[in-house]
Amino acid sequence: MIQPNLLMFITFHYHRMQLMEKGDVKNQTDFTEFILLGFGDLRELQILLFLLFLVIYIVTMAGNILIIALVVTDQHLHTPMYFFLGNLSCLETCYTSAVLPRMLTSLLTGDRTISVGGCMTQFFFFCFLATTECYLLAAMSYDRYLAICKPLHYGTCMNGKLCLQLAAGCWVIGFLPCTIMMCFMSQLIFCGPNEMDHFFCDFTPMLKLSCSDTSQMMLVLYIFSFPDAVSPFLLTLTSYVCIVSTILRIPSTTGRQRAFSTCSSHLIVVTLFYGTIMIVYMLPKSSNLRALNKVFSVCYTVLTPLANPLVYSLRNREVKEALRKAVRKYLALPKNSN
């Protein structure tokens, strides 16, 4: 039986020989690391950017971990909506940790290099968590659809079993296609320039640096893009069209405001996430818009995980009440111990 390392070695050199025959890698040498240019053109702002992103990272982690703790410990938050919110907060802690620590290290030390293996790993977690978030946001919008449009059937439809199935399905569906994509990406050969004009390892910048034939990789991307991105977006959009239609049919203003308040926080998060992703991947790939592309990439990789705890804690009455109870309980502990 051929060992995995030997098999990878044979596959790597087989592809390289094919490229050599075509003259694609002539006078070029293989490299083992990328250089993430990031925000290197703003040299005088490196420390300021480091402090800014460090504060964002700390607030993001603290806010999302706090929401997870509240959802787990407070009995009033043991409902389907907050179950999905806990999953989203767990995802956001992982999502922001896949990008920000490496960027903070680069800003602080000036070392912008990352190994090819490290870059592949970062992209895998980014892809896996971003895909999972698409499906999780769709599941949360379906929950709100049932609560507002089918209130009499909500308790029986959105039961504990269905919640667990939906949440587990989101994580599994996010994991499988990204694993398949990584199997194809592991066959790519990088032998040209190794400078990536981005602050993290994304799909398109990595493909640009490959000297392999990427047509097969692009076909895989197109095959997975509809079920992994378009489908959950359409499900989310359809749910909110039905929700808005139902809310507008409520006769009283107070009833409309109350119904909208139950989904407004989720709608803000969805708009920020999908809005910035659409702008990034639909913008023309010209050098003039490269800086703008980075700005919007920061929005969906850094600001969206930050917005989740802020939006839900500031706009949600139940979360604010659970937070007050937790603070009062914490402040009462020293008195009780005395």
Side-chain angles (χ1 to χ4, degrees):
M1 183 176 178
I2 298 177
Q3 295 296 320
N5 289 339
L6 178 59
L7 188 60
M8 289 178 65
F9 178 82
I10 294 171
T11 305
F12 173 84
H13 283 281
Y14 171 74
H15 284 289
R16 179 164 176 79
M17 286 174 64
Q18 286 186 320
L19 290 167
M20 288 286 287
E21 289 174 3
K22 296 177 184 178
D24 289 340
V25 294
K26 193 177 293 181
N27 297 326
Q28 292 179 327
T29 58
D30 302 328
F31 58 83
T32 58
E33 59 185 24
F34 294 110
I35 299 174
L36 294 172
L37 297 180
F39 303 99
D41 51 336
L42 304 172
R43 294 187 180 278
E44 66 280 2
L45 299 177
Q46 297 296 291
I47 298 300
L48 183 61
L49 288 173
F50 169 77
L51 294 174
L52 173 63
F53 286 122
L54 179 62
V55 171
I56 289 174
Y57 183 57
I58 292 171
V59 172
T60 301
M61 294 296 289
N64 281 294
I65 291 172
L66 178 62
I67 285 181
I68 295 170
L70 290 175
V71 170
V72 170
T73 58
D74 195 295
Q75 293 290 329
H76 294 93
L77 300 184
H78 289 183
T79 62
M81 183 174 79
Y82 295 109
F83 171 75
F84 289 121
L85 176 59
N87 272 267
L88 182 63
S89 292
C90 180
L91 183 144
E92 299 289 26
T93 59
C94 301
Y95 187 61
T96 193
S97 295
V99 176
L100 268 179
R102 182 66 194 82
M103 184 167 68
L104 288 171
T105 303
S106 175
L107 289 170
L108 182 63
T109 64
D111 180 16
R112 299 187 182 88
T113 60
I114 182 171
S115 67
V116 173
C119 201
M120 291 278 191
T121 302
Q122 186 186 52
F123 172 71
F124 169 76
F125 281 105
F126 165 75
C127 173
F128 161 46
L129 295 167
T131 305
T132 302
E133 182 160 1
C134 289
Y135 280 99
L136 197 54
L137 291 174
M140 293 175 76
S141 65
Y142 177 66
D143 170 71
R144 292 299 83 206
Y145 161 76
L146 288 178
I148 294 173
C149 302
K150 311 283 184 181
L152 298 178
H153 303 285
Y154 178 71
T156 54
C157 292
M158 191 57 72
N159 51 43
K161 183 179 178 181
L162 181 60
C163 289
L164 286 172
Q165 289 174 340
L166 286 173
C170 292
W171 289 93
V172 171
I173 294 173
F175 178 80
L176 290 178
C178 294
T179 303
I180 295 171
M181 283 186 66
M182 289 308 300
C183 291
F184 283 93
M185 290 191 71
S186 64
Q187 298 179 14
L188 296 177
I189 299 171
F190 300 96
C191 53
N194 65 340
E195 292 186 344
M196 192 182 300
D197 193 11
H198 216 330
F199 58 88
F200 74 101
C201 297
D202 201 1
F203 181 79
T204 305
M206 287 180 69
L207 280 195
K208 286 182 179 179
L209 299 181
S210 173
C211 52
S212 304
D213 180 11
T214 59
S215 57
Q216 192 178 36
M217 191 68 246
M218 292 303 296
L219 178 62
V220 172
L221 174 66
Y222 290 136
I223 291 172
F224 284 126
S225 62
F226 183 81
D228 287 346
V230 180
S231 293
F233 171 71
L234 291 177
L235 288 170
T236 304
L237 185 63
T238 303
S239 295
Y240 272 104
V241 168
C242 295
I243 288 170
V244 171
S245 175
T246 301
I247 290 175
L248 292 176
R249 289 200 299 269
I250 297 174
S252 67
T253 304
T254 305
R256 286 197 297 268
Q257 290 175 346
R258 188 178 302 166
F260 185 72
S261 67
T262 63
C263 63
S264 59
S265 299
H266 179 251
L267 185 58
I268 292 171
V269 173
V270 167
T271 304
L272 181 60
F273 179 74
Y274 276 113
T276 51
I277 280 185
M278 283 180 163
I279 292 171
V280 167
Y281 291 102
M282 292 177 69
L283 273 177
K285 306 301 178 185
S286 64
S287 56
N288 296 330
L289 297 174
R290 202 168 291 164
L292 190 60
N293 190 295
K294 286 183 188 178
V295 171
F296 284 112
S297 295
V298 167
C299 288
Y300 74 83
T301 57
V302 177
L303 297 185
T304 300
L306 172 67
N308 175 38
L310 293 178
V311 168
Y312 278 101
S313 61
L314 294 177
R315 295 183 59 85
N316 194 289
R317 183 173 54 83
E318 288 88 353
V319 173
K320 285 191 287 188
E321 183 58 32
L323 184 58
R324 288 193 199 99
K325 285 167 59 179
V327 171
R328 285 197 298 267
K329 187 176 179 180
Y330 177 78
L331 294 176
L333 283 176
K335 297 177 182 178
N336 294 335
S337 62
N338 292 333

Coordinates of all heavy atoms in Angstrom, one line a residue, residues 156-229:
T156 N -45.0 23.4 18.0 CA -44.9 22.0 17.6 C -43.9 21.9 16.5 O -43.2 20.8 16.4 CB -46.3 21.6 17.1 OG1 -46.8 22.4 16.1 CG2 -47.2 21.5 18.3
C157 N -43.8 22.8 15.6 CA -42.8 22.7 14.4 C -41.4 22.9 14.9 O -40.5 22.1 14.6 CB -43.2 23.7 13.4 SG -44.8 23.4 12.5
M158 N -41.1 24.0 15.6 CA -39.7 24.3 16.0 C -39.5 23.7 17.3 O -39.2 24.4 18.3 CB -39.5 25.8 15.9 CG -38.0 26.2 16.1 SD -36.9 25.5 14.8 CE -37.4 26.5 13.4
N159 N -39.4 22.4 17.4 CA -39.1 21.7 18.7 C -37.6 21.5 18.8 O -36.8 21.8 18.0 CB -39.9 20.4 18.7 CG -39.7 19.5 17.5 OD1 -38.5 19.4 17.0 ND2 -40.7 18.9 17.0
G160 N -37.3 20.9 20.0 CA -35.9 20.7 20.3 C -35.1 19.8 19.3 O -34.0 20.1 18.9
K161 N -35.8 18.8 18.8 CA -35.2 17.9 17.9 C -34.9 18.6 16.5 O -33.8 18.4 16.0 CB -36.2 16.7 17.6 CG -35.6 15.6 16.7 CD -36.6 14.5 16.5 CE -36.0 13.4 15.5 NZ -37.0 12.3 15.3
L162 N -35.9 19.3 16.0 CA -35.7 20.1 14.8 C -34.5 21.1 14.9 O -33.7 21.3 14.0 CB -36.9 20.7 14.3 CG -36.9 21.5 13.0 CD1 -36.5 20.6 11.9 CD2 -38.2 22.2 12.7
C163 N -34.5 21.8 16.1 CA -33.4 22.7 16.3 C -32.0 22.1 16.2 O -31.1 22.6 15.6 CB -33.6 23.4 17.7 SG -35.0 24.5 17.8
L164 N -31.9 20.9 16.9 CA -30.6 20.2 16.9 C -30.3 19.7 15.5 O -29.1 19.8 15.0 CB -30.7 19.0 17.8 CG -30.6 19.3 19.3 CD1 -30.9 18.0 20.1 CD2 -29.3 19.9 19.7
Q165 N -31.3 19.3 14.7 CA -31.0 18.8 13.4 C -30.6 19.9 12.4 O -29.7 19.8 11.6 CB -32.3 18.1 12.8 CG -32.6 16.8 13.4 CD -33.9 16.2 13.0 OE1 -34.8 16.9 12.5 NE2 -34.1 14.9 13.1
L166 N -31.3 21.1 12.6 CA -30.9 22.2 11.7 C -29.5 22.7 12.1 O -28.7 23.0 11.1 CB -31.9 23.4 12.0 CG -33.3 23.2 11.3 CD1 -34.3 24.3 11.8 CD2 -33.2 23.2 9.8
A167 N -29.2 22.9 13.3 CA -27.9 23.4 13.7 C -26.8 22.4 13.3 O -25.8 22.8 12.7 CB -27.8 23.6 15.3
A168 N -27.0 21.1 13.5 CA -26.0 20.1 13.1 C -25.8 20.1 11.6 O -24.7 20.0 11.1 CB -26.4 18.7 13.6
G169 N -27.0 20.2 10.9 CA -26.9 20.2 9.5 C -26.1 21.4 8.9 O -25.4 21.3 7.9
C170 N -26.3 22.6 9.6 CA -25.5 23.8 9.1 C -24.0 23.5 9.2 O -23.3 23.8 8.3 CB -25.9 25.0 10.0 SG -27.6 25.6 9.7
W171 N -23.6 22.9 10.4 CA -22.1 22.7 10.6 C -21.6 21.6 9.6 O -20.5 21.8 9.0 CB -21.9 22.3 12.0 CG -22.0 23.4 13.0 CD1 -23.2 23.7 13.7 CD2 -21.0 24.4 13.4 NE1 -22.9 24.8 14.5 CE2 -21.7 25.2 14.3 CE3 -19.7 24.6 13.0 CZ2 -21.0 26.3 14.9 CZ3 -19.0 25.6 13.6 CH2 -19.6 26.5 14.5
V172 N -22.4 20.6 9.4 CA -21.9 19.5 8.5 C -21.9 19.9 7.1 O -20.9 19.7 6.3 CB -22.9 18.2 8.7 CG1 -22.6 17.2 7.6 CG2 -22.7 17.6 10.1
I173 N -23.0 20.6 6.6 CA -23.0 21.1 5.2 C -21.9 22.1 5.0 O -21.4 22.2 3.9 CB -24.4 21.7 4.9 CG1 -25.5 20.6 5.0 CG2 -24.4 22.4 3.6 CD1 -26.9 21.2 4.8
G174 N -21.5 22.9 6.0 CA -20.4 23.8 5.8 C -19.1 23.1 5.7 O -18.2 23.6 5.0
F175 N -19.0 22.0 6.4 CA -17.7 21.3 6.5 C -17.4 20.5 5.2 O -16.3 20.5 4.7 CB -17.7 20.3 7.7 CG -16.4 19.5 7.8 CD1 -15.3 20.0 8.4 CD2 -16.4 18.2 7.4 CE1 -14.1 19.3 8.5 CE2 -15.3 17.4 7.5 CZ -14.1 17.9 8.1
L176 N -18.4 19.7 4.7 CA -18.2 18.8 3.6 C -17.7 19.4 2.3 O -16.7 19.0 1.8 CB -19.4 18.0 3.4 CG -19.8 17.0 4.5 CD1 -21.1 16.2 4.1 CD2 -18.7 15.9 4.7
P177 N -18.4 20.4 1.8 CA -17.9 21.0 0.5 C -16.5 21.7 0.6 O -15.7 21.6 -0.4 CB -19.0 22.0 0.1 CG -19.7 22.3 1.4 CD -19.6 21.1 2.2
C178 N -16.2 22.3 1.7 CA -14.9 22.9 1.9 C -13.8 21.9 2.0 O -12.7 22.1 1.5 CB -14.9 23.8 3.1 SG -16.0 25.2 3.0
T179 N -14.1 20.7 2.5 CA -13.1 19.6 2.6 C -12.9 19.1 1.2 O -11.7 18.8 0.8 CB -13.7 18.4 3.4 OG1 -14.0 18.9 4.7 CG2 -12.7 17.3 3.5
I180 N -13.9 19.0 0.3 CA -13.7 18.6 -1.1 C -12.9 19.6 -1.8 O -12.0 19.3 -2.6 CB -15.1 18.3 -1.7 CG1 -15.8 17.2 -1.1 CG2 -14.9 18.1 -3.2 CD1 -17.3 17.0 -1.5
M181 N -13.2 20.9 -1.6 CA -12.4 21.9 -2.3 C -11.0 21.9 -1.9 O -10.1 22.1 -2.7 CB -13.0 23.3 -2.0 CG -14.3 23.6 -2.7 SD -14.9 25.3 -2.4 CE -13.5 26.3 -3.2
M182 N -10.7 21.6 -0.6 CA -9.3 21.6 -0.2 C -8.5 20.4 -0.8 O -7.3 20.5 -1.0 CB -9.3 21.5 1.4 CG -9.6 22.7 2.1 SD -8.7 24.2 1.5 CE -7.1 23.7 1.9
C183 N -9.3 19.3 -1.1 CA -8.6 18.2 -1.8 C -8.1 18.6 -3.1 O -7.0 18.2 -3.6 CB -9.6 17.0 -1.9 SG -10.0 16.2 -0.3
F184 N -8.9 19.4 -3.8 CA -8.5 19.9 -5.1 C -7.4 21.0 -5.0 O -6.5 21.0 -5.8 CB -9.7 20.5 -5.9 CG -10.6 19.5 -6.5 CD1 -11.7 19.0 -5.8 CD2 -10.4 18.9 -7.7 CE1 -12.6 18.1 -6.3 CE2 -11.2 18.0 -8.3 CZ -12.3 17.6 -7.6
M185 N -7.5 21.8 -4.0 CA -6.5 22.9 -3.9 C -5.2 22.4 -3.4 O -4.2 23.0 -3.7 CB -7.0 23.9 -2.8 CG -8.2 24.8 -3.3 SD -8.6 26.2 -2.3 CE -7.2 27.2 -2.6
S186 N -5.2 21.2 -2.7 CA -3.9 20.6 -2.3 C -3.0 20.2 -3.5 O -1.8 19.9 -3.4 CB -4.1 19.5 -1.4 OG -4.8 18.4 -2.0
Q187 N -3.7 20.1 -4.7 CA -3.0 19.6 -5.9 C -2.4 20.8 -6.6 O -1.6 20.6 -7.6 CB -3.9 18.8 -6.8 CG -4.4 17.6 -6.2 CD -5.4 16.8 -7.1 OE1 -5.5 17.1 -8.3 NE2 -6.1 15.9 -6.5
L188 N -2.7 22.0 -6.2 CA -2.2 23.2 -6.9 C -0.7 23.3 -6.7 O -0.2 23.0 -5.6 CB -2.9 24.5 -6.5 CG -4.4 24.6 -6.8 CD1 -4.9 25.9 -6.2 CD2 -4.6 24.5 -8.3
I189 N 0.0 23.8 -7.7 CA 1.5 24.1 -7.5 C 1.7 25.6 -7.6 O 1.2 26.3 -8.5 CB 2.3 23.4 -8.7 CG1 2.0 21.9 -8.6 CG2 3.7 23.7 -8.6 CD1 2.6 21.2 -9.8
F190 N 2.5 26.1 -6.6 CA 2.8 27.5 -6.6 C 4.3 27.7 -6.9 O 5.1 27.2 -6.1 CB 2.4 28.1 -5.2 CG 1.0 27.9 -4.8 CD1 0.6 26.8 -4.1 CD2 0.0 28.8 -5.3 CE1 -0.8 26.7 -3.7 CE2 -1.3 28.7 -4.9 CZ -1.7 27.6 -4.2
C191 N 4.6 28.4 -8.0 CA 6.0 28.5 -8.4 C 6.3 29.9 -8.9 O 7.4 30.1 -9.4 CB 6.3 27.4 -9.4 SG 5.2 27.4 -10.8
G192 N 5.3 30.8 -8.9 CA 5.6 32.1 -9.5 C 5.8 33.1 -8.4 O 6.3 32.8 -7.3
P193 N 5.3 34.3 -8.5 CA 5.4 35.3 -7.5 C 4.6 34.9 -6.3 O 3.6 34.3 -6.4 CB 4.8 36.6 -8.1 CG 4.0 36.1 -9.2 CD 4.7 34.9 -9.7
N194 N 5.1 35.2 -5.1 CA 4.4 34.7 -3.9 C 3.8 35.8 -3.0 O 3.5 35.6 -1.9 CB 5.4 33.9 -3.0 CG 6.6 34.7 -2.5 OD1 6.8 35.8 -3.0 ND2 7.2 34.2 -1.4
E195 N 3.7 37.0 -3.6 CA 3.1 38.1 -2.9 C 1.6 38.1 -3.1 O 1.1 38.2 -4.2 CB 3.7 39.4 -3.3 CG 5.1 39.6 -2.8 CD 5.7 40.9 -3.2 OE1 5.0 41.7 -4.0 OE2 6.7 41.3 -2.6
M196 N 0.8 38.0 -2.0 CA -0.7 38.0 -2.1 C -1.2 39.4 -1.5 O -0.9 39.7 -0.4 CB -1.2 36.9 -1.2 CG -2.7 36.6 -1.4 SD -3.3 35.2 -0.4 CE -2.3 33.9 -0.9
D197 N -1.8 40.1 -2.4 CA -2.3 41.5 -2.0 C -3.6 41.4 -1.2 O -4.7 41.8 -1.7 CB -2.5 42.3 -3.2 CG -2.6 43.8 -2.8 OD1 -2.4 44.1 -1.7 OD2 -3.0 44.6 -3.7
H198 N -3.5 40.8 0.0 CA -4.7 40.6 0.9 C -4.2 40.5 2.3 O -3.0 40.3 2.5 CB -5.5 39.4 0.5 CG -7.0 39.5 0.7 ND1 -7.5 40.4 1.6 CD2 -8.0 39.0 0.0 CE1 -8.8 40.3 1.5 NE2 -9.2 39.5 0.5
F199 N -5.1 40.5 3.3 CA -4.6 40.4 4.7 C -4.9 39.0 5.2 O -4.6 38.7 6.4 CB -5.3 41.5 5.6 CG -6.8 41.5 5.6 CD1 -7.5 40.7 6.5 CD2 -7.5 42.3 4.7 CE1 -8.9 40.7 6.5 CE2 -8.9 42.3 4.7 CZ -9.6 41.5 5.6
F200 N -5.6 38.1 4.4 CA -5.7 36.7 4.8 C -5.8 35.9 3.5 O -5.9 36.4 2.4 CB -7.0 36.5 5.6 CG -8.3 36.6 4.9 CD1 -9.0 35.5 4.5 CD2 -8.9 37.8 4.6 CE1 -10.2 35.5 3.8 CE2 -10.1 37.9 3.9 CZ -10.7 36.8 3.5
C201 N -5.7 34.6 3.7 CA -5.7 33.7 2.5 C -7.1 33.4 2.0 O -7.8 32.6 2.5 CB -5.0 32.4 2.9 SG -3.3 32.6 3.4
D202 N -7.4 34.1 0.9 CA -8.7 34.0 0.3 C -8.5 33.2 -1.0 O -7.4 33.0 -1.5 CB -9.3 35.3 0.0 CG -10.8 35.2 -0.2 OD1 -11.4 34.1 -0.1 OD2 -11.5 36.3 -0.4
F203 N -9.7 32.7 -1.6 CA -9.7 31.8 -2.7 C -9.0 32.4 -4.0 O -8.1 31.9 -4.5 CB -11.1 31.3 -3.0 CG -11.2 30.4 -4.1 CD1 -10.9 29.0 -3.9 CD2 -11.6 30.8 -5.4 CE1 -11.0 28.1 -5.0 CE2 -11.8 29.9 -6.4 CZ -11.5 28.5 -6.2
T204 N -9.6 33.6 -4.4 CA -9.2 34.2 -5.6 C -7.7 34.6 -5.6 O -6.9 34.3 -6.6 CB -10.0 35.4 -6.0 OG1 -11.4 35.0 -6.0 CG2 -9.7 36.0 -7.3
P205 N -7.2 35.3 -4.6 CA -5.7 35.6 -4.5 C -4.8 34.4 -4.6 O -3.8 34.4 -5.2 CB -5.6 36.4 -3.2 CG -6.9 36.9 -2.9 CD -7.9 35.9 -3.4
M206 N -5.2 33.3 -4.0 CA -4.4 32.1 -4.0 C -4.4 31.5 -5.4 O -3.3 31.0 -5.9 CB -5.0 31.0 -3.0 CG -4.7 31.4 -1.6 SD -5.3 30.1 -0.4 CE -4.2 28.8 -0.8
L207 N -5.5 31.5 -6.1 CA -5.5 30.9 -7.4 C -4.7 31.7 -8.4 O -4.1 31.2 -9.3 CB -7.0 30.9 -8.0 CG -7.9 29.7 -7.5 CD1 -9.1 29.6 -8.4 CD2 -7.2 28.4 -7.5
K208 N -4.7 33.0 -8.2 CA -3.8 33.9 -9.0 C -2.4 33.6 -9.0 O -1.6 33.8 -9.9 CB -4.1 35.4 -8.7 CG -5.4 35.9 -9.1 CD -5.5 37.4 -8.7 CE -6.9 38.0 -9.2 NZ -7.0 39.4 -8.8
L209 N -1.9 33.1 -7.8 CA -0.5 32.8 -7.6 C -0.1 31.3 -8.0 O 1.0 31.0 -8.0 CB -0.1 33.0 -6.1 CG -0.3 34.4 -5.6 CD1 0.2 34.5 -4.2 CD2 0.5 35.4 -6.5
S210 N -1.1 30.6 -8.5 CA -0.8 29.2 -8.8 C -0.4 29.1 -10.3 O -0.9 29.8 -11.2 CB -2.1 28.3 -8.6 OG -1.9 27.0 -9.1
C211 N 0.6 28.2 -10.6 CA 1.0 28.0 -12.0 C 0.4 26.7 -12.5 O 0.8 26.3 -13.6 CB 2.5 28.0 -12.1 SG 3.3 26.9 -11.0
S212 N -0.6 26.1 -11.8 CA -1.3 25.0 -12.3 C -2.5 25.4 -13.1 O -2.8 26.6 -13.1 CB -1.8 24.1 -11.1 OG -0.8 23.8 -10.2
D213 N -3.1 24.4 -13.8 CA -4.3 24.7 -14.5 C -5.4 24.8 -13.5 O -5.7 23.8 -12.9 CB -4.5 23.5 -15.5 CG -5.8 23.8 -16.3 OD1 -6.4 24.9 -16.3 OD2 -6.2 22.8 -17.0
T214 N -6.0 25.9 -13.4 CA -7.1 26.1 -12.4 C -8.5 26.0 -12.9 O -9.4 26.3 -12.2 CB -6.9 27.5 -11.7 OG1 -7.0 28.5 -12.8 CG2 -5.6 27.7 -11.0
S215 N -8.6 25.6 -14.1 CA -10.0 25.4 -14.7 C -10.8 24.4 -14.0 O -12.0 24.7 -13.7 CB -9.9 25.0 -16.2 OG -9.2 23.8 -16.3
Q216 N -10.2 23.3 -13.5 CA -10.9 22.3 -12.8 C -11.4 22.9 -11.4 O -12.5 22.6 -10.9 CB -10.1 21.1 -12.6 CG -10.8 19.9 -12.0 CD -9.9 18.6 -11.9 OE1 -8.7 18.7 -11.6 NE2 -10.5 17.5 -12.2
M217 N -10.5 23.7 -10.8 CA -10.8 24.3 -9.5 C -11.9 25.3 -9.6 O -12.8 25.3 -8.7 CB -9.5 25.0 -9.0 CG -9.5 25.4 -7.6 SD -9.5 24.1 -6.4 CE -11.1 24.3 -5.7
M218 N -11.9 26.0 -10.7 CA -13.0 27.0 -10.9 C -14.4 26.3 -11.1 O -15.4 26.7 -10.7 CB -12.7 27.9 -12.1 CG -11.5 28.8 -11.9 SD -11.8 29.9 -10.4 CE -13.2 30.9 -11.0
L219 N -14.3 25.1 -11.8 CA -15.5 24.3 -12.0 C -16.1 23.8 -10.7 O -17.3 23.9 -10.5 CB -15.2 23.1 -13.0 CG -16.4 22.2 -13.3 CD1 -17.5 22.9 -14.0 CD2 -15.9 21.0 -14.1
V220 N -15.2 23.4 -9.8 CA -15.6 22.9 -8.5 C -16.2 24.1 -7.7 O -17.3 23.9 -7.1 CB -14.4 22.3 -7.7 CG1 -14.8 22.0 -6.3 CG2 -13.9 21.1 -8.4
L221 N -15.6 25.3 -7.8 CA -16.2 26.5 -7.2 C -17.6 26.8 -7.6 O -18.5 27.0 -6.8 CB -15.2 27.7 -7.4 CG -15.7 29.0 -6.9 CD1 -15.8 29.0 -5.4 CD2 -14.9 30.1 -7.4
Y222 N -17.8 26.8 -9.0 CA -19.1 27.1 -9.5 C -20.1 26.0 -9.1 O -21.3 26.4 -8.9 CB -19.0 27.2 -11.0 CG -18.3 28.4 -11.5 CD1 -17.4 28.3 -12.6 CD2 -18.5 29.6 -11.0 CE1 -16.7 29.4 -13.0 CE2 -17.8 30.7 -11.4 CZ -16.9 30.6 -12.4 OH -16.2 31.7 -12.9
I223 N -19.7 24.8 -9.0 CA -20.6 23.7 -8.6 C -21.1 23.9 -7.2 O -22.3 23.7 -6.9 CB -20.0 22.3 -8.8 CG1 -19.8 22.0 -10.3 CG2 -20.8 21.2 -8.1 CD1 -18.9 20.7 -10.5
F224 N -20.2 24.3 -6.3 CA -20.5 24.4 -4.9 C -21.1 25.8 -4.5 O -21.7 26.0 -3.5 CB -19.3 24.2 -4.0 CG -19.0 22.7 -3.9 CD1 -17.7 22.3 -4.2 CD2 -19.9 21.8 -3.5 CE1 -17.4 20.9 -4.1 CE2 -19.6 20.5 -3.4 CZ -18.3 20.0 -3.7
S225 N -20.9 26.8 -5.4 CA -21.3 28.2 -5.0 C -22.8 28.3 -4.9 O -23.3 29.0 -4.0 CB -20.8 29.2 -6.1 OG -21.3 28.9 -7.3
F226 N -23.6 27.6 -5.8 CA -25.0 27.7 -5.7 C -25.6 27.1 -4.4 O -26.3 27.8 -3.6 CB -25.7 27.1 -6.9 CG -27.2 27.2 -6.9 CD1 -27.8 28.4 -7.3 CD2 -28.0 26.2 -6.4 CE1 -29.2 28.6 -7.3 CE2 -29.4 26.4 -6.4 CZ -30.0 27.6 -6.8
P227 N -25.3 25.8 -4.1 CA -25.8 25.2 -2.9 C -25.3 25.9 -1.6 O -25.9 25.9 -0.6 CB -25.5 23.7 -2.9 CG -24.3 23.7 -3.9 CD -24.5 24.8 -4.8
D228 N -24.0 26.4 -1.6 CA -23.4 26.9 -0.4 C -23.6 28.3 -0.1 O -23.5 28.8 1.0 CB -21.9 26.6 -0.5 CG -21.5 25.1 -0.3 OD1 -22.4 24.4 0.1 OD2 -20.4 24.7 -0.6
A229 N -23.9 29.1 -1.2 CA -24.0 30.6 -1.0 C -25.4 31.1 -1.4 O -26.1 31.8 -0.7 CB -22.9 31.3 -1.7

